[in-house]
Amino acid sequence: MPNDGASQVIQGDSECRDGHYRPKKNTAGVGTELERANARRNTMVDVFGATSTTEEVLSGVNLHGKRILVTGVSAGIGVETARSLAAHGAQVVGAARNLAKAKTATAQVLKEGTFNLGSFELIELDLADLKSVRRCADALLAKGEPFDVVIANAGVMATPFLHTPDGFEMQFGTNHLGHFVLVNRIAPLIRKGGRLINLASAGHRFSNVDLEDPNFVRTPYEPFVAYGRSKTANILFAVAFDRRHRGNGIRAAAVHPGGIQTELDRHLDPAHIQKTIEQMNKQLASEGKAPFQLKTIPQGAATSVWAAVVAPADEVGGQYCENCHVGKVVPDDVTITAVSEGVRSYALDPKNAEALWKKSEEMVGESF
């Protein structure tokens, strides 16, 4: 594994059906595997984008010997993330609340992982319940097997006003606090050169975190404001985790998967979704641009695997990524539309990240 934390990428080698990579003769004038990997990275901006799939991003990537934890593997991009990594030889541990549902959803993950000399196993995790989170972390620590990557993929979106068993607003409690406790508890298992990838969203633009009223005690509840708070928290957690661990070569990044139709949308009215898309298309048409298209699930999972095992660590560490590249900060006084790229500065603010870390420790009753 190169020092930048990216996986071994062998440009021009042949990936065989048994999962092994057999080198071809060098016909591109690039002498070593590391040079070939670097040559590929240098052109990543041109190669990968919004329509790239997991298989395109992982083409030529050998993940044998790498162990990766992915949360939220019972549906959607979590399943595809796990599948693509296992299919390239990784040992994948998938975490899910409903193990029976996850077992059915990940049958192909297990099949492709086994066929390509990777592996796949499940562990129970309910991120809304800190007792479950701590049990999961304790089980992983007791096993003692290190991870090269942790992908905090699971989440909920735009739920009704609900509370977790611990009394937290459901979206903040599940999307942020559950992962905050899990990741920090298993941090000793992350190898030097490893990575944490937090699934965030362009939805962070709905709201900064509110550390004075995180549970909407005084603030009227709005589903997408709550979602925005939790997604901003996902980004800020990556920023703070990266600052704490980069001295050991462990980096953290947040990723926006893009617009995808998955079970994450289950609390949304289909008519509302359609109306939103129509509004976006009207705006795009006025700008002479093509209509908006939802990403496929393999396209939606591509940025996760790109940031986890392909992109140079120093490029993505402490950053917000989208469409297989690092997103640019858009000033608060500049309008961001639903179809434009960019991250708000408050989501990458180190002081904001530290304040969130302190508040999160206070809320969960643990110091990390």
Side-chain angles (χ1 to χ4, degrees):
M1 192 172 198
N3 292 333
D4 66 1
S7 64
Q8 183 180 4
V9 184
I10 308 176
Q11 183 77 353
D13 286 2
S14 176
E15 181 181 358
C16 301
R17 285 181 57 81
D18 61 7
H20 290 89
Y21 290 74
R22 300 194 176 104
K24 295 179 180 179
K25 291 182 180 180
N26 176 26
T27 60
V30 184
T32 67
E33 290 179 359
L34 182 58
E35 287 170 344
R36 291 196 291 273
N38 286 336
R40 184 173 187 267
R41 293 188 194 106
N42 289 336
T43 61
M44 279 194 299
V45 173
D46 298 324
V47 172
F48 304 130
T51 61
S52 297
T53 65
T54 49
E55 287 309 309
E56 290 168 347
V57 168
L58 291 176
S59 177
V61 177
N62 180 354
L63 296 175
H64 291 115
K66 309 305 177 192
R67 192 162 182 263
I68 301 173
L69 174 66
V70 183
T71 69
V73 296
S74 61
I77 63 174
V79 175
E80 173 60 17
T81 299
R83 184 208 64 77
S84 63
L85 295 168
H88 283 259
Q91 301 166 26
V92 178
V93 178
R97 179 177 58 84
N98 185 330
L99 290 182
K101 179 182 177 183
K103 185 176 181 181
T104 300
T106 58
Q108 189 66 22
V109 180
L110 180 61
K111 180 179 179 180
E112 292 193 36
T114 302
F115 185 74
N116 290 289
L117 303 184
S119 65
F120 180 73
E121 61 182 292
L122 286 167
I123 188 168
E124 186 174 7
L125 171 67
D126 182 353
L127 285 162
D129 185 345
L130 291 185
K131 288 183 179 179
S132 173
V133 172
R134 289 166 179 143
R135 281 196 302 270
C136 178
D138 288 346
L140 293 171
L141 288 167
K143 196 169 185 178
E145 296 182 5
F147 290 104
D148 295 280
V149 180
V150 173
I151 301 179
N153 167 83
V156 294
M157 182 175 74
T159 66
F161 190 26
L162 302 170
H163 290 87
T164 71
D166 301 284
F168 308 129
E169 184 277 314
M170 182 62 72
Q171 297 188 74
F172 192 78
T174 303
N175 296 348
H176 170 59
L177 292 175
H179 279 126
F180 180 79
V181 172
L182 175 70
V183 171
N184 278 310
R185 280 189 163 226
I186 66 171
L189 294 178
I190 302 177
R191 287 191 177 106
K192 289 185 177 181
R195 299 187 192 183
L196 165 66
I197 305 300
N198 285 345
L199 266 288
S201 170
H204 77 274
R205 305 165 186 170
F206 287 116
S207 178
N208 193 355
V209 290
D210 184 341
L211 304 183
E212 299 301 318
D213 188 22
N215 293 318
F216 288 86
V217 174
R218 298 179 299 276
T219 309
Y221 182 76
E222 293 288 345
F224 275 103
V225 170
Y227 181 65
R229 289 182 182 185
S230 72
K231 294 292 101 178
T232 295
N234 291 152
I235 303 169
L236 291 171
F237 177 32
V239 170
F241 192 89
D242 185 80
R243 187 186 69 80
R244 283 166 168 77
H245 295 277
R246 62 191 176 201
N248 289 326
I250 298 170
R251 306 307 302 265
V255 302
H256 166 47
I260 317 145
Q261 192 162 12
T262 67
E263 284 190 7
L264 191 66
D265 300 337
R266 61 186 175 273
H267 296 291
L268 302 181
D269 179 357
H272 173 75
I273 296 175
Q274 184 59 36
K275 183 178 180 181
T276 301
I277 292 176
E278 288 173 358
Q279 290 173 339
M280 288 190 295
N281 285 337
K282 185 177 180 180
Q283 176 191 327
L284 289 168
S286 70
E287 299 171 0
K289 297 179 180 178
F292 170 77
Q293 287 188 323
L294 290 168
K295 287 188 177 184
T296 65
I297 288 176
Q299 289 171 341
T303 302
S304 296
V305 299
W306 174 81
V309 300
V310 176
D314 288 340
E315 178 180 324
V316 299
Q319 301 295 326
Y320 168 89
C321 305
E322 56 189 340
N323 295 329
C324 297
H325 65 80
V326 174
K328 295 181 179 180
V329 174
V330 178
D332 293 344
D333 60 351
V334 175
T335 301
I336 302 181
T337 69
V339 291
S340 59
E341 295 186 345
V343 57
R344 288 301 191 193
S345 59
Y346 57 70
L348 294 173
D349 183 349
K351 290 183 179 179
N352 205 18
E354 289 307 312
L356 172 67
W357 189 287
K358 182 178 179 180
K359 183 64 176 181
S360 300
E361 289 181 326
E362 176 188 313
M363 293 177 74
V364 303
E366 294 187 63
S367 296
F368 301 107

